[in-house]
Amino acid sequence: MATGKTMKVGVLGAGTMGNGIAHVFAQSGFDVTLIDVSADILQKALATIEKNLNRQVKKGALDEAGRDAALKRIETATDLKGVSGAEIVIEAVPEDETLKADIFRKLDELAPKSAILASNTSSIPITRLAAHTSRPENVIGMHFMNPVPMMQLIEVVRGLATSDETADTVVKMSGDLGKTPVVVNDSPGFVSNRVLMPMINEAVYCLHEGVGSAEAIDQVMKLGMNHPLGPLALADLIGLDTCLFILEVLHNDLGEDKYRPCPLLRKHVDAGWLGRKTARGFYSYES
Ligand code: NAD
C-alpha cells in the first residue's frame, strides 16, 4: 500500500461531515473521490468546500494556488464503484446502523482488498461494522469533529480486530492532515459522544420542562462553564437527527435510562427541524 499523501481516498457521503473530510484531505495533498447519492448533493458539497476554502484564503491561512489545487484534487461520483481505486475509504453516511452495515458489505466487495475501511460514525461500534466485511483487521473508526477544517481532534477508534498496521496508518495520516489523533477503544459513543450527548440531552430536557429558554440554557453554559457554544446551539450544528441517532445507540447498547432521548428532541426530528442544515432547530437560521 502507498503511504502518506500519495494515498487515494474515497469519501462516502457529502453532507455536513463528508464535505469537510474531503476538504481537509484535498488541502493536504491527497486525491479524493467524493461519493453521494445525487449529482445535486455533490454540487452543493463542492460549492460548500469552495466557500470554506475561500474563507481560509481571506484569512491568509491559504493562498489562491493552494485553494485551486485542493479543488482540482476532488472528483465526484454517484456510484459506490467510485471506491475501486481507493486505498482508504472514509464512510460518512447518516448515523443509521442498517444503512452503514449495508454500505460496509458493499465497500468490502468494491474497494481493493488491501484498502482500509474507516467510519466517521459518532457512536456505532466499529467491531459490529467490521463484522460485515471479510477484512475486520482493516476496519477502524476515524471520528472527525464538526466543523472538520477547524477542529483539531480525530478520535481514532480501534475495533476488536483492528490491526496495529491499520491503526498506525490512520494515526500517521491524521498527522498528515494537520490533526491530532487520540486512540481509544471501541464502545458505544466512544469517549466523545459518551460524554457530550448526555449533556446535550439534559439541556433539551431543561428546555422541555421549562427550566429556561434555549437562549438562557446556552448562556449559562457559555458564560458559566466557558463553553464556546451552548449545548442547544451545538446540537443544531451537529444535526438533531444525528444527536437522536447517537442517543438511541447509547440507550440501546448501554441499556441505561440516563441515555433516554428527550421527547422534545424526537419531536423536532419528526417535524424535520434538524438544526442548521434545515435552517430550523432549537434556533431559526432563516436569515
Ligand atoms: P448528513 O445527513 O449531513 O450527510 C450524510 C450524507 O450521506 C448525505 O449527503 C446523504 O445524501 C449521504 N448518503 C446517504 N445515503 C448514502 C449512500 N447510500 N451512499 C452515499 N451517500 C449517502 O450527516 P453528517 O452530519 O455528515 O453525518 C455523517 C456521519 O458523520 C454520521 O455517522 C454522523 O454520526 C457522523 N458525525 C457527525 C458529526 C456532526 O457534527 N454532524 C460529527 C462527527 C461525526
Side-chain angles (χ1 to χ4, degrees):
M1 185 190 290
T3 53
K5 299 183 181 183
T6 58
M7 281 180 87
K8 289 193 186 313
V9 181
V11 178
L12 193 57
T16 309
M17 296 304 288
N19 77 62
I21 294 168
H23 172 148
V24 295
F25 270 108
Q27 193 184 338
S28 304
F30 293 84
D31 289 326
V32 178
T33 304
L34 180 59
I35 303 168
D36 207 303
V37 291
S38 80
D40 239 27
I41 294 174
L42 288 164
Q43 253 344 91
K44 262 192 210 148
L46 286 178
T48 302
I49 293 169
E50 187 166 1
K51 187 181 81 191
N52 290 336
L53 285 166
N54 278 331
R55 193 175 294 158
Q56 286 171 283
V57 170
K58 239 187 202 160
K59 279 192 202 155
L62 182 71
D63 60 22
E64 288 182 2
R67 173 199 60 198
D68 296 345
L71 286 170
K72 261 202 196 137
R73 286 190 201 104
I74 304 176
E75 23 175 86
T76 58
T78 51
D79 192 318
L80 258 191
K81 287 186 187 133
V83 302
S84 61
E87 287 154 282
I88 180 165
V89 180
I90 322 286
E91 167 279 309
V93 304
E95 191 76 346
D96 170 338
E97 187 161 351
T98 309
L99 172 65
K100 285 193 195 278
D102 184 48
I103 294 271
F104 268 77
R105 274 192 291 271
K106 289 181 178 148
L107 287 177
D108 192 39
E109 278 169 27
L110 296 170
K113 279 296 158 214
S114 59
I116 292 175
L117 305 181
S119 177
N120 186 51
T121 176
S122 305
S123 59
I124 298 167
I126 297 302
T127 308
R128 281 216 298 264
L129 294 178
H132 295 288
T133 75
S134 62
R135 58 179 104 181
E137 66 284 359
N138 285 16
V139 177
I140 194 162
M142 200 171 180
H143 185 203
F144 290 82
M145 303 292 129
N146 182 13
V148 182
M150 290 170 63
M151 297 296 282
Q152 192 58 36
L153 174 68
I154 297 179
E155 191 178 32
V156 176
V157 185
R158 290 191 69 140
L160 194 58
T162 306
S163 69
D164 290 344
E165 191 192 348
T166 298
D168 291 348
T169 304
V170 166
V171 162
K172 179 178 177 309
M173 181 181 289
S174 304
D176 290 340
L177 297 175
K179 306 286 187 196
T180 304
V182 177
V183 181
V184 302
N185 289 317
D186 195 20
S187 180
F190 323 126
V191 172
S192 51
N193 283 310
R194 175 97 173 246
V195 176
L196 174 65
M197 280 302 150
M199 184 190 70
I200 286 179
N201 200 34
E202 210 51 43
V204 184
Y205 271 112
C206 285
L207 185 65
H208 185 54
E209 293 170 11
V211 181
S213 64
E215 290 80 2
I217 293 163
D218 278 353
Q219 282 280 73
V220 167
M221 298 306 286
K222 278 166 65 181
L223 302 181
M225 320 298 158
N226 240 358
H227 289 192
L229 212 58
L232 298 172
L234 179 58
D236 276 356
L237 178 73
I238 293 169
L240 302 190
D241 51 342
T242 301
C243 293
L244 179 60
F245 280 138
I246 297 170
L247 281 160
E248 280 173 341
V249 170
L250 292 173
H251 191 213
N252 293 334
D253 287 9
L254 298 169
E256 293 200 47
D257 284 349
K258 65 180 176 182
Y259 301 115
R260 187 170 69 94
C262 178
L264 184 63
L265 178 64
R266 210 177 277 287
K267 252 192 200 167
H268 273 62
V269 173
D270 288 345
W273 299 351
L274 306 183
R276 282 180 190 241
K277 63 185 164 188
T278 57
R280 179 162 189 181
F282 293 116
Y283 296 92
S284 170
Y285 303 90
E286 295 294 350
S287 54

